[in-house]
Structure formats: structure tokens, C-alpha cells
Amino acid sequence: MNTVELDKIFDQAKSWVLEAGETIRTKINDPLTINTKSNPNDLVTEMDKETELFFAKKIKDTYPDHLILSEEGFGDDIDSLNGTVWIIDPIDGTMNFVHQKRNFAISIGIYQDGVGEIGLIYNVIEDVLYSAIRNKGAYKNEEKLPLLSESVKIEEAILGLNHFWLCENRLVREQTMQQLVRKVRGTRTYGSAALEFAYVAEGIMDGYLTMRLSPWDIAAGVVIVNEVGGTTTDINGDELNMIKNNSVFTCNPRVQHIIIDDYLRKGRK
């Protein structure tokens, strides 16, 4: 995929994201049909499905040879990232969408032969778009984001933690995580992995840690965080598998090894 093609796809994807966001805002107070998937906290609404179907139709009509990996069932059955693959979460943070009507995002990552080329995370209610094209920097709306600070220390770090998965998976000892929470300056939980990736890229959080995420939760965020000098791995520091669920740690690299070596690896059960 050459630069001209990439720019064209980015512009098209951006216009679709903004269009879908406008539709969601228009319908935000309409009655919702809410169902559950894997458990009572795993929500899906008609808006999730309608938004994903909107993207699937646009992509297939415009780029029939492109593939889709998505959450709500309108994508392709794929087992690799060969070719051009759109990884889509139509509403990341559905529980927030249902209960708060804010703090959710549209998330789209576009990968070419396994390489993240484009990332788009749209905070729908606040009308804020985080975006990146590989090797061209990351943006918050039209403002280019600076590279992450090289002077951050773990004692000064703000860390995003998904407490539900920490308790559920038991991959790391609870006592070890309590020590980490006491070590950093503060922790936050926003309920949308896409937005937490965006906040790491913006530099208003220094890392985000969770024990299980799907590819559509992280695909866009990985591209955007990369463009500001951040890094994303699993909790062992290993490369992510972008077609399977992963533990995830995205962060400013200045705190990565300290947290992985001193807390995540030592905290194994």
C-alpha cells in the first residue's frame, strides 16, 4: 500500500467514523434494545450492531478485497492479518454508552499484512478524534500530539487499571497489584479501552494495564500509541497477537520495564 492509497483510505475511514458518530449522537436518547453476550456485564445494543453494519457495508462496497475483523458479527472469518484488514469496535465502552451516555468511542484500526497502518479513536460525545497514520505522527483532532515525556518516573505515573479483569483472571497476585497501586501517583478507570489508549497517547496517562482484551479493543490504540513513542505488549513484555485475546500493557516506555519486571513478572501465581 503506497502513501497515496494510504492517505485516501485514511480520509475515507475518517469521514465514515465522523458520520457514524453523528448518527449515534442523534439517536443517543432513543429507547435502547439491550442484550447480553458472554455474561450479564457484556452488553450489546442495536446501536452497536447498526454502527458495525454501517462500516461493514461501506468497506465492502468501496474496498471489496479488504477484510473485516469485528465484534458484533458482521466481519469476515479470518485467521490471519494477511492483506488489508479493518479491525472494528463500533462502540467501545457499551456499558458507558448504556448507563452514562458518554465515555465511549468508535475504534478502527487498519492493518496491512499484520502491520498497523491507520488508527482512529473517536470520542463521540465530546467530538474528539484521535488518529494516526504509521510514521506520520498522531493527532487529537487537528493538533499533533507530542512524543511522550522522557522524564516520567513510576512514582509520578498515572496508570489506567481495569479492575474487573484483574480480579477475574488472577494472573497476578492481588497483593502485588496493591503494591503497584501504592507505588504510582494514581490510578484511573474509564471503562473504554480505546479511550484509555488515546489518553496514554495524549500523555495524560502513563500506562494502561488490563488482563484481557480483544483485537478490536486495541487495534486502533496500538497504532496511535506507537506514533508518540509509546509501546504496547502483553504483561510479559511480549508482542501481541492481533487476532486473539491478550493481556495488554500500553505505556510510556520509561515505566514499562519497571512495572513488568518488578510487579507483573514477580506477581505471578
Side-chain angles (χ1 to χ4, degrees):
M1 191 184 302
N2 61 44
T3 301
V4 173
E5 291 173 327
L6 198 60
D7 288 344
K8 184 177 179 181
I9 292 172
F10 174 84
D11 289 340
Q12 185 67 84
K14 178 180 174 180
S15 71
W16 291 339
V17 166
L18 296 177
E19 182 180 348
E22 177 61 28
T23 299
I24 292 171
R25 284 194 298 272
T26 299
K27 297 182 176 181
I28 191 72
N29 292 314
D30 289 358
L32 288 173
T33 301
I34 305 168
N35 295 302
T36 60
K37 293 187 288 187
S38 61
N39 63 68
N41 296 321
D42 190 6
L43 305 181
V44 60
T45 71
E46 286 304 310
M47 185 59 70
D48 292 83
K49 296 177 181 179
E50 289 174 11
T51 304
E52 183 170 301
L53 182 59
F54 165 82
F55 285 118
K57 189 174 187 310
K58 292 288 189 182
I59 293 164
K60 290 301 185 180
D61 287 349
T62 310
Y63 307 107
D65 59 330
H66 291 192
L67 299 173
I68 300 171
L69 177 60
S70 55
E71 183 170 17
E72 308 303 345
F74 296 101
D76 298 290
D77 184 13
I78 66 176
D79 57 10
S80 78
L81 292 184
N82 293 337
T84 304
V85 182
W86 297 57
I87 307 179
I88 301 171
D89 195 338
I91 297 180
D92 183 75
T94 300
M95 190 179 296
N96 290 348
F97 171 71
V98 170
H99 288 275
Q100 302 175 352
K101 302 191 185 302
R102 59 176 63 87
N103 296 323
F104 63 90
I106 297 170
S107 177
I108 295 181
I110 304 175
Y111 283 61
Q112 178 68 35
D113 294 327
V115 177
E117 298 285 358
I118 293 170
L120 297 157
I121 296 173
Y122 186 40
N123 185 333
V124 173
I125 298 303
E126 295 187 10
D127 190 24
V128 174
L129 177 66
Y130 296 87
S131 64
I133 300 175
R134 186 169 67 93
N135 295 330
K136 291 190 175 182
Y139 290 80
K140 178 182 179 183
N141 289 336
E142 303 305 317
E143 179 184 355
K144 188 171 185 179
L145 296 174
L147 296 178
L148 298 180
S149 170
E150 296 186 2
S151 61
V152 66
K153 301 175 181 177
I154 187 171
E155 295 85 356
E156 301 169 349
I158 301 293
L159 193 63
L161 294 175
N162 185 317
H163 303 100
F164 174 76
W165 285 117
L166 285 171
C167 295
E168 179 73 15
N169 282 271
R170 303 287 184 175
L171 294 179
V172 181
R173 289 187 181 92
E174 232 174 90
Q175 184 179 18
T176 304
M177 296 313 300
Q178 290 170 0
Q179 293 170 356
L180 175 58
V181 169
R182 287 194 292 267
K183 183 71 171 178
V184 299
R185 176 164 283 172
T187 62
R188 300 291 183 269
T189 301
Y190 292 96
S192 164
L195 288 180
E196 304 209 52
F197 266 83
Y199 298 155
V200 171
E202 191 176 354
I204 59 177
M205 291 203 313
D206 301 293
Y208 169 57
L209 168 67
T210 186
M211 295 300 153
R212 182 180 171 187
L213 287 177
S214 299
W216 41 80
D217 298 313
I218 64 176
V222 168
V223 178
I224 296 170
V225 168
N226 282 350
E227 286 302 303
V228 294
T231 184
T232 307
T233 65
D234 67 13
I235 63 171
N236 297 309
D238 296 328
E239 185 176 349
L240 299 176
N241 184 330
M242 291 304 298
I243 60 171
K244 294 184 178 180
N245 291 342
N246 297 267
S247 62
V248 175
F249 183 35
T250 187
C251 63
N252 185 315
R254 283 80 195 173
V255 300
Q256 181 193 26
H257 293 295
I258 297 171
I259 292 176
I260 288 177
D261 293 342
D262 292 354
Y263 296 93
L264 300 181
R265 285 188 179 139
K266 290 182 180 179
R268 292 288 189 277
K269 283 196 170 183

